[in-house]
Amino acid sequence: MFHNFSSHRKTSPSPPAPARLNKSCSECTSSCTYYKVSQLCSYRQRNKRNATLGLTDGIGHSTLDEVADRLKSRTEILEQLFPDRAVDELVGKSRDELLDIIRTNSPPRLATDETSGRSAGDPDVADDSAQVSENGEPTADRQWDESSHQPPVLQACDDINAINIATDHHRRSYLGVASISAILRAVFRLCPSAKHRVAEQAKRWSETPIQPQSMPFLSGDLSTHLLKEQRCIDFYFEHVHPIIPMLDEEDFRASYSLGHRRDPGWLGLLNMVITIGSIASGSDTLHEQYYEQARSFLDLDSFGAGNLESLQALCLLGGLYLHYRNAPNMAYAILGGAHRVAIALGLHRESRRRNANNTEAQRDATPAKVSRLETRRRTWWSLFCLDTWASMTLGRPTCGRWEATTMDTVLPSLVTENDHMAISLCASAQFCLICNRIQSRFAQFSRLTISEAITFDQELQSWYASLPPVLRSPTNSPPRLTIAREFMRNRYLNIRLILMRSLILYLAHSRIQKAQLSPEEHQIIDTCRIVAGEAIDSIALYWTPNRIHVWNSAWYLFQACMIPLLSIVIEGSRSDPNAESLTSARASLVKALETFSEMKPWMRASDRGPDIVAAIYEAIIGEAEGAGRTPSQDGDSNFFGWYDEQLTFGAELDWGSFLTDDDFQGALFTAQ
């Protein structure tokens, strides 16, 4: 038998592992070991530092709470502006893209007080139908008086040329950002001495009203009357008809020679042709006399008798003559009525007999019938062009001037290969179709974006490049098309200026500093200056000594001068002005003033455009040569001195009355 023996050896328990010492205990470790109490050493272990929280070391709780509150408030604002978008989706987007998102998500504006949450009678809510004076005080409703009860002389100022802005007369109609008053106000705010200078001039004009030249009313024998009338008719068809060729010249002259027609429509048209022809002939007062005769046939009853001749007479009255008399709102209303008459006559629809299936029937039609159909077509497009041209600087809704879904009148057709009248009207109609969309866009609540403006500008340049040589080159143009060709060029450059200058006003109103401008925005400003210089150069080179041509050219020259004037004011406010820009602007203004001086014999007595440009230029130069202008430094650096939250988020203002205080500084162009 075997036995297994195992030895048992009593062992003492191993001492516990010493606690892990923190580096901060390194100085007392030897003492703890000597007294064998290292296991009793206690040190509160600190939490591991988080790298993301390390930045907050040394910042008090109150500061953190304040930052958190700010972050929360900004987050709430972003959620209100972009309710359907995460913040991460907004990172990297430009200002225009963010505004587009806001416009897309914004509900339509209502005509009730629900949008503001205040009662309609709240005095703090600015009513868009009311005026705002220069000092910001609400005034009476809009009103103007351009009626025939006024003295039979040409008044110096009206709502469109904006002369009364300097004197703050409250007789203004609604005008949008495309109006001349918008840019004039900008110049006046940046250079108060310019406003004071123009106000002094306007006061002198009012103290010495324009008096008509003494001239006996139509008198004498019948043969003298007939000679005057024939001369005026010849001038009309030579200088005015190529611009708006809505009349059948051969048919008109034949009816006049026969002298059998005594119906009011014909007599109204005849007297309007003679009235405008007398202006083209160079007479200062003859148009007053013939207009008195035309008025007896063009009253409210003319709207109750629908016929082509009455409509054509209304077109000449509202589209040309009343503008010559500085009665733009009356002209605007009459053209609106004429548009309704044209629709009632069916001019907005192409005759179904003119479709492709009836080509042979058209060839067999009598010449008189074809001429009448073509005259109806040309009358419609002439009315369309007159209304579009007159509205270019109004900023008002187009009121359905052209709707492709309900209107299908085709462009005029060429009777012969060299039918220059049809060529001119077709080109004008195509131009006005583009301008109609531009005007419609300006009239909307949301702002025109830079990308939209560039697209419109490219479309306009493509249109002008496609014009036939007779409408572009003076060497290839027949003499009868001279004025029509220059009218077309002036309007083309002017609508491009309107696009650019409106964007500049938008940018300035948004408080954008010069350093924050994008390359596209810099391009807009540079292009605006270039186009203004081109407009001044072309008018100075191609104007002709004719009262109709000078009337048109002087108006567009006046508008073009606003850009170099604004440029000089802006550059003068910078610490490092662009010398090249200043030199170019001054040269353009000197050329424009010289051109105004040359045009003077053919200008109306009421034409104050040259005086306004000279007064502003003298005021600007006077300040530049003095101690220097010191625009208001109080408050925000805001181009307009105030801002409207609706406009800031895409809404439109009444730019005819939008300045309400004295704090004004050109922050857009101030060097930063």
Side-chain angles (χ1 to χ4, degrees):
M1 171 182 273
F2 294 93
H3 295 277
N4 292 324
F5 296 96
S6 61
S7 63
H8 180 72
R9 182 178 169 181
K10 187 176 180 180
T11 59
S12 61
S14 59
R20 184 177 180 182
L21 299 179
N22 193 283
K23 290 183 179 180
S24 59
C25 296
S26 58
E27 296 180 359
C28 63
T29 300
S30 58
S31 299
C32 293
T33 303
Y34 177 81
Y35 291 106
K36 300 180 181 181
V37 291
S38 58
Q39 69 277 12
L40 300 179
C41 183
S42 175
Y43 185 88
R44 182 170 58 87
Q45 186 72 22
R46 290 183 298 177
N47 294 330
K48 184 177 181 180
R49 182 189 298 248
N50 191 324
T52 60
L53 299 178
L55 297 176
T56 64
D57 290 351
I59 300 178
H61 290 289
S62 60
T63 304
L64 289 175
D65 292 341
E66 182 181 352
V67 172
D69 291 340
R70 290 183 180 179
L71 179 60
K72 181 180 178 181
S73 63
R74 282 156 177 73
T75 303
E76 291 175 351
I77 294 174
L78 286 174
E79 290 175 350
Q80 291 178 5
L81 294 176
F82 307 96
D84 301 328
R85 299 293 184 100
V87 176
D88 293 340
E89 298 180 19
L90 306 176
V91 176
K93 292 187 179 297
S94 65
R95 184 181 74 256
D96 288 339
E97 291 173 335
L98 293 174
L99 289 175
D100 288 338
I101 295 174
I102 294 175
R103 297 187 194 105
T104 303
N105 295 336
S106 298
R109 294 180 55 178
L110 303 177
T112 66
D113 56 354
E114 296 176 358
T115 55
S116 61
R118 302 185 183 182
S119 62
D122 192 333
D124 293 333
V125 180
D127 182 3
D128 187 57
S129 66
Q131 300 257 19
V132 177
S133 66
E134 284 291 320
N135 57 13
E137 298 176 355
T139 63
D141 292 341
R142 303 181 190 282
Q143 59 180 345
W144 59 87
D145 190 358
E146 301 170 351
S147 64
S148 59
H149 301 295
Q150 294 295 306
V153 296
L154 300 175
Q155 299 301 316
C157 61
D158 59 49
D159 284 355
I160 308 306
N161 63 30
I163 294 177
N164 54 8
I165 286 179
T167 56
D168 195 29
H169 291 168
H170 301 295
R171 53 188 298 270
R172 311 178 199 137
S173 58
Y174 174 84
L175 298 172
V177 70
S179 65
I180 193 66
S181 64
I183 191 167
L184 263 180
R185 285 179 178 274
V187 173
F188 289 161
R189 285 288 178 174
L190 282 169
C191 185
S193 62
K195 178 181 177 181
H196 298 155
R197 185 75 64 91
V198 174
E200 292 174 359
Q201 293 272 21
K203 185 178 180 181
R204 286 197 290 268
W205 299 332
S206 62
E207 292 173 350
T208 56
I210 304 166
Q211 299 295 335
Q213 296 181 5
S214 58
M215 180 176 180
F217 209 76
L218 292 174
S219 59
D221 55 20
L222 180 61
S223 60
T224 302
H225 289 169
L226 293 177
L227 285 175
K228 287 182 179 179
E229 291 179 357
Q230 185 63 58
R231 183 172 184 269
C232 292
I233 291 173
D234 291 341
F235 270 93
Y236 173 86
F237 282 104
E238 184 67 23
H239 298 287
V240 181
H241 181 64
I243 304 169
I244 45 168
M246 62 180 173
L247 303 181
D248 184 338
E249 181 178 358
E250 184 179 351
D251 181 68
F252 182 92
R253 289 184 180 275
S255 297
Y256 174 76
S257 298
L258 293 175
H260 297 328
R261 295 190 62 174
R262 308 305 301 171
D263 52 291
W266 161 256
L267 293 176
L269 174 61
L270 172 62
N271 281 280
M272 283 309 306
V273 167
I274 296 174
T275 298
I276 298 177
S278 68
I279 298 173
S281 71
S283 171
D284 287 330
T285 57
L286 194 58
H287 65 91
E288 293 279 359
Q289 304 168 28
Y290 284 112
Y291 176 55
E292 288 298 319
Q293 292 187 3
R295 284 179 54 203
S296 62
F297 304 106
L298 296 175
D299 52 13
L300 285 177
D301 289 338
S302 62
F303 288 99
N307 58 76
L308 196 61
E309 288 75 16
S310 292
L311 174 62
Q312 291 169 335
L314 291 172
C315 290
L316 294 178
L317 175 62
L320 292 177
Y321 183 67
L322 289 177
H323 287 283
Y324 188 81
R325 290 180 63 92
N326 288 337
N329 289 299
M330 187 176 178
Y332 181 74
I334 288 179
L335 279 185
H339 190 262
R340 294 293 181 91
V341 172
I343 291 177
L345 290 173
L347 270 61
H348 66 300
R349 290 292 186 93
E350 192 67 23
S351 173
R352 299 293 77 126
R353 294 174 296 176
R354 302 285 291 177
N355 58 27
N357 296 330
N358 293 322
T359 303
E360 293 298 328
Q362 175 191 338
R363 293 175 181 172
D364 296 337
T366 61
K369 223 171 188 180
V370 172
S371 176
R372 192 65 175 179
L373 289 171
E374 182 64 21
T375 300
R376 287 168 56 89
R377 205 185 279 130
R378 296 188 183 195
T379 300
W380 168 261
W381 285 112
S382 295
L383 170 60
F384 174 75
C385 291
L386 286 169
D387 195 22
T388 305
W389 292 334
S391 301
M392 286 173 68
T393 53
L394 296 181
R396 298 173 181 172
T398 58
C399 302
R401 187 186 298 135
W402 175 259
E403 295 178 354
T405 57
T406 60
M407 303 172 181
D408 64 352
T409 303
V410 299
L411 293 175
S413 57
L414 276 64
V415 177
T416 63
E417 184 179 355
N418 294 322
D419 188 355
H420 294 141
M421 302 300 103
I423 294 173
S424 171
L425 184 54
C426 283
S428 294
Q430 291 168 343
F431 169 75
C432 287
L433 286 171
I434 303 174
C435 292
N436 185 65
R437 290 189 285 110
I438 294 175
Q439 293 172 18
S440 178
R441 182 63 187 86
F442 270 128
Q444 295 176 17
F445 291 124
S446 59
R447 296 182 184 180
L448 180 77
T449 64
I450 291 181
S451 59
E452 289 175 317
I454 293 175
T455 300
F456 278 132
D457 189 54
Q458 291 173 346
E459 189 173 357
L460 288 167
Q461 293 183 65
S462 298
W463 166 82
Y464 191 74
S466 67
L467 289 177
V470 294
L471 294 176
R472 291 190 60 194
S473 173
T475 58
N476 296 322
S477 179
R480 204 176 189 188
L481 276 184
T482 297
I483 295 181
R485 182 194 70 239
E486 294 310 312
F487 267 47
M488 199 171 296
R489 189 208 309 271
N490 291 344
R491 289 176 178 128
Y492 159 70
L493 294 174
N494 185 64
I495 191 61
R496 294 187 66 196
L497 278 181
I498 291 173
L499 280 172
M500 307 300 169
R501 79 186 186 201
S502 301
L503 283 171
I504 292 175
L505 294 178
Y506 281 145
L507 289 172
H509 183 68
S510 299
R511 306 182 178 190
I512 303 300
Q513 306 297 327
K514 181 179 175 60
Q516 297 174 324
L517 293 176
S518 67
E520 293 79 11
E521 291 164 343
H522 278 291
Q523 180 184 355
I524 289 292
I525 297 172
D526 293 339
T527 302
C528 188
R529 291 170 174 168
I530 293 172
V531 173
E534 183 180 351
I536 293 173
D537 290 343
S538 65
I539 292 173
L541 182 61
Y542 295 114
W543 75 275
T544 57
N546 175 273
R547 194 174 290 274
I548 292 290
H549 191 188
V550 168
W551 166 43
N552 173 272
S553 298
W555 167 235
Y556 289 119
L557 183 59
F558 172 68
Q559 292 196 65
C561 286
M562 294 298 107
I563 304 303
L565 285 173
L566 185 61
S567 295
I568 293 176
V569 175
I570 290 169
E571 292 297 335
S573 67
R574 297 177 56 187
S575 59
D576 56 340
N578 187 321
E580 182 179 355
S581 176
L582 282 173
T583 301
S584 176
R586 289 174 177 172
S588 293
L589 287 171
V590 169
K591 181 180 293 186
L593 291 173
E594 291 175 351
T595 304
F596 277 132
S597 179
E598 295 171 358
M599 290 178 172
K600 191 67 176 177
W602 293 273
M603 295 177 71
R604 300 171 297 174
S606 65
D607 286 327
R608 303 300 192 188
D611 301 321
I612 294 176
V613 174
I616 296 175
Y617 185 52
E618 290 171 2
I620 294 173
I621 295 302
E623 285 199 354
E625 293 176 351
R629 181 166 49 86
T630 56
S632 173
Q633 301 294 328
D634 299 329
D636 295 329
S637 294
N638 179 11
F639 190 87
F640 296 119
W642 71 289
Y643 88 86
D644 181 293
E645 67 277 2
Q646 292 178 335
L647 178 66
T648 303
F649 293 110
E652 179 59 283
L653 278 181
D654 174 5
W655 289 81
S657 58
F658 67 103
L659 294 173
T660 59
D661 60 31
D662 294 329
D663 295 330
F664 189 64
Q665 181 180 358
L668 168 62
F669 304 97
T670 303
Q672 297 295 329

